[in-house]
Amino acid sequence: MSTLAVLPVILPLAAGAISVLLWKSLRVQRVVGVVATLALVIVSLLLFREVHREGIIVVRMGSWPSPLGISFVVDLFGSIMVVLAAITGAATAIYSVRGIDKRRQSFLYFPLLHILLMGVCGAFLTGDIFNLYVWFEVLLMSSFVLLALGNERDQLEGAIKYVTINLMSSALFLTSIGILYGTFGTLDMADLSRKIAATQNTGIVTTLSMLFLIAFGIKAAIFPLFFWLPASYHTPPFAVSAIFAGLLTKVGVYAIIRVFTLLFPIDPGFTRPLMLFLAAMTMLTGVLGAAAQMEFRRVLSFHIISQIGYMLLGLALATPLALAGSVFYIMHHIIVKANLFFIAGLAERIRGTSDLKAIGPVSVYARSPLVAILFFIPAMSLAGIPPLSGFFAKLVLIRAGLEIGEWAIIAVALVVSILTLYSMTKIWAEAFWKGPARREDEAESVTKDAVPPSMLLPVATLAAITVAVGLFAGPIFDIASRAAAQLLDKEGYVRAVLGDDAMQAEGSP
Amino acid sequence: MQILIAIIIGGIFACAIYMILRRSIVKLIMGLALLGHAANLLIFSAGGLAKGHPALVAPGSTAPPEPYADPLPQALILTAIVISFGVLAFMMVLVSRAYNAVGNDDTDEFVNTER
């Protein structure tokens, strides 16, 4: 049982090490890449089943008792995130075999991918806030290199912006950890949760919560802090964009949700109005930015921002239903968003450009109807058309908002949904639907190589998962609401990590 | 001593932000280096300053005699220094590559990714 909880970190580490050792043979690296990520999917599903059955799993490194030692704490939310990370990782690995050129692959592309996955899984599993920082750095380091790999001018410019802003956010995170340790004398999240709840000094707690909100907000690209994302996400190869879009901002969202449920629960007087405002502005600015863009990946990049707003909305409302909506939304979003970036890659491969105006008038649809249909599914899911996954995710959030009468934010969420649909139809109309304007266009249009099955397979699988999440929304929503209930049950988390005695000993501080 | 260190940390933070806001990418690196140092110093002083009291446990007892310097912040800083050192090394290489590609060290010239 305890091995299962650390395997999501060990497995990518081993795969990365093997790939580095065999760096001369691209063939072996590819095989290791695909096999290890598929194994990670299996391991993460087993871990999820275990947590689903047995409750929170705690693994103490070196058997030191909490809160002295460092522990991995796997709750439902964490294990769901690991499953999603594994699925995205496997899809990226398979897609990359043909989707990343040989030159980039020979510069240790696959090892970097494994280390990125290791960092992401570690961040989802750890129960120690300083280790969260360390895992963040692990995943950031590999993401920096992945972003800059290939040395094109756009990539380097994007990388400088991305690296600078992420380093600033990390420094801020580290600073907040320093203040946190200075105030409470512990770094174990369960212990911190208990001590913060018991403290009388609300001033420092508010300051700390805002510092964490800014530090994670930069990583999650929430409202005033998102400008680095559309400046960098469209520069690397498509497979890299896809895994970044699917996973990296969601690590920030995960950290916000974790910190604002466990350490600083949402306070209706101060945090909730602030978060609702941030969520509304994030949704609006993101979708308006998307409406103004005419490049495939830049439209999608702005959409990531607006979707982050929905996840924040669920956290801000802070009812069990709303939080379940957030979890459901993340599950839906990671799959759909990574898939849309993969499809942007396919469209670029077919038409030789990802500028929407240049893709038409001879559309992708004319070349490959299958790709167009595969785009249609996640695009409509993102816009929230039933019966796809996005519809249910939005439905839950809106229902939760109506229940506690937050009308304004619901109105914003609905308007943003319509605007999302608008910009998705824009991509559809420009890239996939336009017929040839003149007969000659057909002849002179660039035809690139056909889409290899190894790139189509992950796209089709992710689209199938999107449909399945929509069709089996009931059971999946049950899981999400159980995860949300577990997130709101602070005592349960603390008891699982520190044991019953600690709860009683601290009963009267 | 605490107050002096606090003022120093604030000063370094201010310098770091000032450097990051400059238009030269070389100064950007210096700013980020300073930012890392400021954060590390802050962790160090947040643990409490205790001069000349190492956290050594006498034989037979289970805790060091009070007062003692908290060893945990020092361990944390050690990790943080290694990380920030590695990231800075990467940043320097990146900046030098970007300088070659863009042919300018003015961040206002980095406009290819904005449209």
Side-chain angles (χ1 to χ4, degrees):
Chain A
M1 180 173 107
S2 64
T3 11
L4 205 55
V6 289
L7 266 183
V9 173
I10 306 277
L11 205 63
L13 178 64
I18 293 170
S19 315
V20 172
L21 289 176
L22 299 168
W23 65 281
K24 280 194 174 156
S25 165
L26 283 184
R27 188 186 300 258
V28 178
Q29 282 192 32
R30 287 180 194 141
V31 173
V32 171
V34 173
V35 170
T37 46
L38 287 177
L40 186 62
V41 174
I42 296 168
V43 165
S44 64
L45 284 172
L46 287 175
L47 178 64
F48 170 74
R49 197 184 64 167
E50 193 75 31
V51 177
H52 193 70
R53 240 189 242 158
E54 312 268 324
I56 298 175
I57 298 179
V58 183
V59 184
R60 298 182 176 84
M61 303 300 152
S63 300
W64 281 83
S66 299
L68 289 180
I70 290 165
S71 44
F72 266 17
V73 184
V74 197
D75 65 351
L76 264 178
F77 184 45
S79 66
I80 289 172
M81 296 302 283
V82 172
V83 171
L84 292 168
I87 292 174
T88 323
T92 310
I94 298 169
Y95 189 89
S96 304
V97 170
R98 293 291 302 276
I100 301 276
D101 54 66
K102 280 230 172 63
R103 194 170 63 89
R104 284 199 174 88
Q105 281 189 8
S106 67
F107 280 109
L108 299 181
Y109 170 79
F110 278 105
L112 286 165
L113 189 64
H114 291 305
I115 302 302
L116 181 74
L117 281 176
M118 175 178 93
V120 171
C121 290
F124 291 151
L125 296 177
T126 186
D128 181 285
I129 195 134
F130 188 77
N131 274 272
L132 186 62
Y133 164 76
V134 176
W135 291 120
F136 261 111
E137 292 299 316
V138 169
L139 75 91
L140 280 180
M141 274 308 272
S142 35
S143 74
F144 293 162
V145 186
L146 280 176
L147 194 68
L149 205 64
N151 268 330
E152 280 155 28
R153 181 184 163 150
D154 282 8
Q155 274 189 297
L156 292 169
E157 285 189 10
I160 286 207
K161 289 167 187 167
Y162 177 80
V163 172
T164 307
I165 200 75
N166 271 302
L167 286 187
M168 290 193 66
S169 122
S170 293
L172 202 57
F173 184 16
L174 197 57
T175 310
S176 350
I177 290 176
I179 301 173
L180 200 62
Y181 182 74
T183 319
F184 297 105
T186 178
L187 290 167
D188 189 277
M189 286 206 264
D191 201 24
L192 273 174
S193 159
R194 199 177 61 176
K195 288 191 169 146
I196 289 175
T199 185
Q200 303 298 319
N201 190 351
T202 49
I204 193 96
V205 173
T206 312
T207 312
L208 276 170
S209 68
M210 288 303 108
L211 277 173
F212 277 112
L213 183 63
I214 297 170
F216 295 143
I218 292 175
K219 291 184 199 297
I222 63 174
F223 162 58
L225 313 163
F226 62 79
F227 291 96
W228 56 274
L229 192 148
S232 59
Y233 269 25
H234 64 107
T235 57
F238 287 85
V240 176
S241 288
I243 193 161
F244 279 23
L247 284 182
L248 293 197
T249 45
K250 257 54 74 185
V251 182
V253 175
Y254 167 85
I256 291 181
I257 291 183
R258 178 65 78 204
V259 163
F260 278 90
T261 50
L262 190 61
L263 303 188
F264 318 105
I266 299 287
D267 155 25
F270 174 67
T271 334
R272 177 186 287 174
L274 178 74
M275 284 245 198
L276 283 178
F277 172 73
L278 290 179
M281 291 308 286
T282 312
M283 286 192 272
L284 274 175
T285 44
V287 83
L288 291 177
Q293 295 296 327
M294 275 314 265
E295 206 267 344
F296 209 136
R297 273 194 290 179
R298 282 179 68 86
V299 176
L300 296 179
S301 297
F302 273 102
H303 270 303
I304 302 177
I305 299 164
S306 88
Q307 312 287 314
I308 299 287
Y310 283 99
M311 298 166 203
L312 206 59
L313 166 64
L315 174 66
L317 294 175
T319 60
L321 184 66
L323 208 55
S326 255
V327 176
F328 196 104
Y329 208 100
I330 295 175
M331 292 160 92
H332 137 78
H333 177 85
I334 291 182
I335 303 287
V336 165
K337 200 80 226 182
N339 203 8
L340 283 172
F341 273 84
F342 284 140
I343 295 163
L346 295 183
E348 204 252 12
R349 209 180 165 88
I350 293 168
R351 294 288 304 136
T353 175
S354 60
D355 190 337
L356 289 178
K357 281 199 174 121
I359 287 182
V362 184
S363 64
V364 175
Y365 185 81
R367 300 260 167 234
S368 170
L370 182 60
V371 173
I373 291 164
L374 285 176
F375 170 79
F376 192 73
I377 294 171
M380 290 302 112
S381 175
L382 195 73
I385 302 293
L388 296 160
S389 56
F391 169 72
F392 294 101
K394 282 179 179 148
L395 182 70
V396 173
L397 282 175
I398 284 165
R399 175 91 196 270
L402 291 179
E403 266 180 13
I404 57 170
E406 295 281 356
W407 309 108
I409 194 89
I410 297 310
V412 173
L414 289 173
V415 168
V416 169
S417 273
I418 294 171
L419 287 173
T420 311
L421 185 61
Y422 159 71
S423 52
M424 277 300 146
T425 36
K426 183 173 80 181
I427 298 183
W428 172 257
E430 292 287 339
F432 294 99
W433 202 239
K434 270 188 182 169
R438 299 190 312 272
R439 206 83 198 122
E440 307 87 86
D441 284 344
E442 183 79 60
E444 74 193 23
S445 69
V446 230
T447 315
K448 301 268 282 189
D449 16 44
V451 177
S454 74
M455 288 170 80
L456 219 46
L457 176 73
V459 173
T461 314
L462 291 185
I465 294 177
T466 309
V467 175
V469 170
L471 293 181
F472 298 100
I476 292 177
F477 175 71
D478 284 344
I479 294 170
S481 46
R482 273 191 60 187
Q486 214 173 50
L487 277 174
L488 287 173
D489 177 25
K490 268 174 36 171
E491 275 84 40
Y493 187 95
V494 174
R495 188 172 293 122
V497 178
L498 300 177
D500 288 324
D501 310 342
M503 284 300 278
Q504 275 146 20
E506 283 287 319
S508 50
Chain B
M1 194 61 187
Q2 284 272 23
I3 293 176
L4 183 65
I5 295 264
I7 292 171
I8 292 175
I9 294 169
I12 300 179
F13 263 115
C15 293
I17 301 293
Y18 176 71
M19 291 296 242
I20 289 170
L21 294 178
R22 299 288 295 270
R23 278 165 58 182
S24 153
I25 40 175
V26 179
K27 287 176 181 135
L28 175 72
I29 297 186
M30 294 183 195
L32 289 174
L34 281 178
L35 199 63
H37 290 316
N40 289 339
L41 260 180
L42 188 134
I43 296 186
F44 180 63
S45 58
L49 300 174
K51 196 179 169 193
H53 295 287
L56 296 177
V57 185
S61 61
T62 52
E66 297 272 348
Y68 60 90
D70 191 346
L72 190 64
Q74 299 169 26
L76 298 183
I77 297 166
L78 206 57
T79 316
I81 286 176
V82 173
I83 291 174
S84 67
F85 180 74
V87 175
L88 264 181
F90 172 77
M91 187 75 187
M92 282 181 169
V93 177
L94 181 68
V95 160
S96 112
R97 300 292 323 197
Y99 176 74
N100 286 336
V102 182
N104 202 324
D105 82 329
D106 187 341
T107 41
D108 280 9
E109 300 293 319
F110 285 57
V111 288
N112 250 22
T113 55
E114 321 279 346
R115 242 170 288 172

